[in-house]
Amino acid sequence: MRRNFALSLLVLVLFTACAKKSDLEPQEVLRQSAEAVKQLQSSNFVVNGDLSTPKGMNFTVKADGILQQAGKQFQFTVNLHGTYLNGAVTHTVDALADVAVAGDNEVYFRLRSFSVTPEQTTFSPEMMGEIAGSWWKLPTDGGGTLQTISPDPQLPQLQSKVLSVTEDLGIQELNNRDAYRYKVRMDPVKLVDFLQASAAASGEPFSADTAQMIAGLFSGAGELWVDKETMFVHRLAWEFLSTDASLAFTSHLNIELSKYNAAPAIVFPTDAKPWKFGSVATGSTFPIQQSSSRASSSASSRRAASSQRSSVQ
């Protein structure tokens, strides 16, 4: 036991020794980082996340992509895996898809593969099979559809205006680069104020209820790594906590940037078909079975039994 304790203490000392003392105050690093991000035109990014609920829903997601033109254009491949309960049955979901955004009215989507095991009639297998493998150009409503996923031009100001550093962990190495590392929390009042100012600047309506909900989600703690040389954010990790007992969940998000202003060009599809499977804006994008009677439900079940998995290699 003494040997294990001594070994653990040695590891802790070595880890602490690897961290250099910061040469700048945290707020100054955040300020310089917010200014530096304004000059960021391109980067590679990797996003890893997870979500779990007490009701048996557990999902992980990974997105690997490229950002260009200061976030006006981006492309990523997303891999989703998870389980959820339907009554007493646990279903497993796997999906692989590509998303490419060339501008406000150019959003492309390609489903590579999708499966639900055991089979469930919620998703139309015939329609999923028709969707899979092809690039589709999603409908837009004059730019409103895309605004929900395109980066806010004021986002670079977010970290310096609403983040509070709770612990300075010094300068540590991340992916062979020195970075300022901090434990951080988000000020919910300042976040609501920021969201309101951002909405006013972009001419969009502001919802206080939605802002409060977002602030509640960010009530957890996070870690921020800022590249010492470029002052670009290198990694942001966050734990999301639900403040609503009726929507209890825990979630983690890890975003990592690399190849600042040196990311490869995005190749957009030239053979995309017009999307024809529902409205993106109304939330009926994906093919969900709408069973209005027992007969239609029974027919859906028979169809699902014959084909549930669609996949493109």
Side-chain angles (χ1 to χ4, degrees):
M1 184 173 181
R2 291 179 180 176
R3 181 180 179 182
N4 290 339
F5 176 77
L7 181 60
S8 299
L9 184 61
L10 177 61
V11 171
L12 178 62
V13 171
L14 289 175
F15 176 79
T16 305
C18 291
K20 308 172 190 175
K21 186 176 180 180
S22 296
D23 54 352
L24 294 174
E25 290 297 318
Q27 288 304 315
E28 177 60 19
V29 172
L30 295 184
R31 187 195 68 78
Q32 291 190 29
S33 180
E35 290 299 315
V37 172
K38 295 178 183 179
Q39 309 304 317
L40 182 63
Q41 292 298 310
S42 72
S43 73
N44 281 28
F45 64 86
V46 177
V47 179
N48 286 282
D50 62 65
L51 171 71
S52 60
T53 72
K55 296 183 178 181
M57 180 181 291
N58 295 280
F59 279 89
T60 60
V61 63
K62 179 179 181 180
D64 193 335
I66 302 168
L67 178 150
Q68 287 285 355
Q69 295 191 15
K72 294 178 182 178
Q73 293 185 343
F74 53 95
Q75 173 274 328
F76 61 89
T77 297
V78 59
N79 195 331
L80 176 72
H81 172 79
T83 59
Y84 66 93
L85 281 176
N86 179 31
V89 179
T90 299
H91 294 271
T92 300
V93 178
D94 285 285
L96 183 64
D98 300 306
V99 176
V101 176
D104 283 352
N105 297 304
E106 283 191 73
V107 185
Y108 302 98
F109 172 78
R110 178 175 64 177
L111 181 66
R112 296 197 193 186
S113 64
F114 179 85
S115 68
V116 178
T117 308
E119 299 169 349
Q120 189 183 8
T121 58
T122 303
F123 299 95
S124 166
E126 291 89 350
M127 205 174 292
M128 297 301 283
E130 186 177 354
I131 292 173
S134 298
W135 277 105
W136 301 91
K137 184 178 180 181
L138 300 183
T140 59
D141 53 0
T145 299
L146 181 59
Q147 288 175 357
T148 59
I149 58 174
S150 59
D152 191 306
Q154 295 198 63
L155 194 58
Q157 304 292 334
L158 180 65
Q159 64 199 52
S160 62
K161 290 188 175 182
V162 305
L163 283 185
S164 297
V165 174
T166 59
E167 185 176 356
D168 186 342
L169 299 176
I171 299 172
Q172 299 185 23
E173 190 174 282
L174 178 63
N175 296 332
N176 299 317
R177 297 184 65 88
D178 283 344
Y180 298 99
R181 183 183 180 186
Y182 304 112
K183 288 187 177 181
V184 294
R185 285 189 177 275
M186 199 165 289
D187 187 315
V189 176
K190 291 182 179 179
L191 178 56
V192 171
D193 291 342
F194 173 83
L195 293 173
Q196 185 172 14
S198 179
S202 60
E204 295 183 10
F206 171 75
S207 170
D209 291 340
T210 300
Q212 291 289 349
M213 180 193 70
I214 294 174
L217 291 177
F218 280 92
S219 59
E223 280 199 4
L224 177 69
W225 301 66
V226 178
D227 188 274
K228 187 177 186 297
E229 179 182 352
T230 66
M231 284 297 177
F232 293 139
V233 172
H234 197 154
R235 175 188 289 171
L236 176 63
W238 205 269
E239 179 183 22
F240 298 88
L241 302 173
S242 172
T243 56
D244 187 341
S246 63
L247 296 173
F249 71 88
T250 58
S251 180
H252 302 85
L253 187 68
N254 188 92
I255 304 172
E256 197 161 306
L257 301 178
S258 62
K259 296 186 178 179
Y260 314 108
N261 291 331
I266 299 173
V267 179
F268 294 102
T270 57
D271 58 348
K273 306 173 185 177
W275 182 259
K276 60 180 182 180
F277 302 100
S279 170
V280 176
T282 60
S284 59
T285 304
F286 288 98
I288 306 297
Q289 293 283 23
Q290 302 294 333
S291 300
S292 60
S293 66
R294 290 184 181 179
S296 61
S297 178
S298 176
S300 299
S301 299
R302 290 193 299 271
R303 289 194 299 268
S306 63
S307 172
Q308 178 66 30
R309 182 181 180 93
S310 61
S311 177
V312 176
Q313 300 299 330

